């Protein structure tokens, strides 16, 4: 909807295209990791439901890993945002 059609978009420099490709790969890797951890949690929940209290730890391990991974990603994005804002302020000041 809000996207510019391909014909009107300005061509990217090779450096910008490479940066976009790296960012796309990183986002895909994050998405895959998050999905796999969520599926492991779901499978652990099923195992705990079938196996009873003895397997209550099964969904807990992936849940802790998923929570830690999300916290890691949020910290990473916060640092990235702060770096970009510092760079923009430096450009404006120059």
């Amino acid at each position: 909807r809000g996207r510019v059609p391909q014909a009107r978009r300005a061509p990217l420099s090779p450096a910008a295209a490479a940066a976009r490709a790296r960012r796309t790969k990183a986002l895909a890797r994050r998405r895959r990791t998050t999905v796999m951890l969520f599926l492991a949690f779901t499978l652990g929940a099923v195992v705990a439901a079938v196996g009873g209290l003895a397997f209550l730890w099964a969904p807990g391990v992936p849940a802790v890993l998923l929570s830690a991974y999300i916290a890691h990603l949020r910290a990473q994005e916060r640092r990235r945002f702060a770096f970009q804002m510092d760079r923009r302020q430096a450009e404006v000041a120059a």
Side-chain angles (χ1 to χ4, degrees), residues 9-94:
R9 201 177 295 164
L12 292 175
S13 69
R20 177 178 281 182
R22 278 193 311 273
R23 181 88 176 129
T24 302
K25 285 182 183 181
L27 291 175
R29 186 172 49 248
R30 289 177 181 181
R31 208 171 16 256
R32 277 192 308 271
T33 303
T34 305
V35 167
M36 292 307 293
L37 286 171
F38 184 75
L39 287 176
F41 169 75
T42 304
L43 181 64
V46 170
V47 167
V50 172
L53 291 177
F55 292 99
L56 197 56
W57 58 268
V61 172
V64 168
L65 289 174
L66 180 60
S67 297
Y69 186 65
I70 289 171
H72 165 72
L73 291 179
R74 288 179 58 94
Q76 204 174 35
E77 284 298 318
R78 199 175 308 118
R79 282 192 305 271
R80 183 173 172 264
F81 180 76
F83 176 77
Q84 285 180 339
M85 288 300 111
D86 288 347
R87 193 169 60 191
R88 281 196 191 137
Q89 286 176 353
E91 287 173 358
V92 169

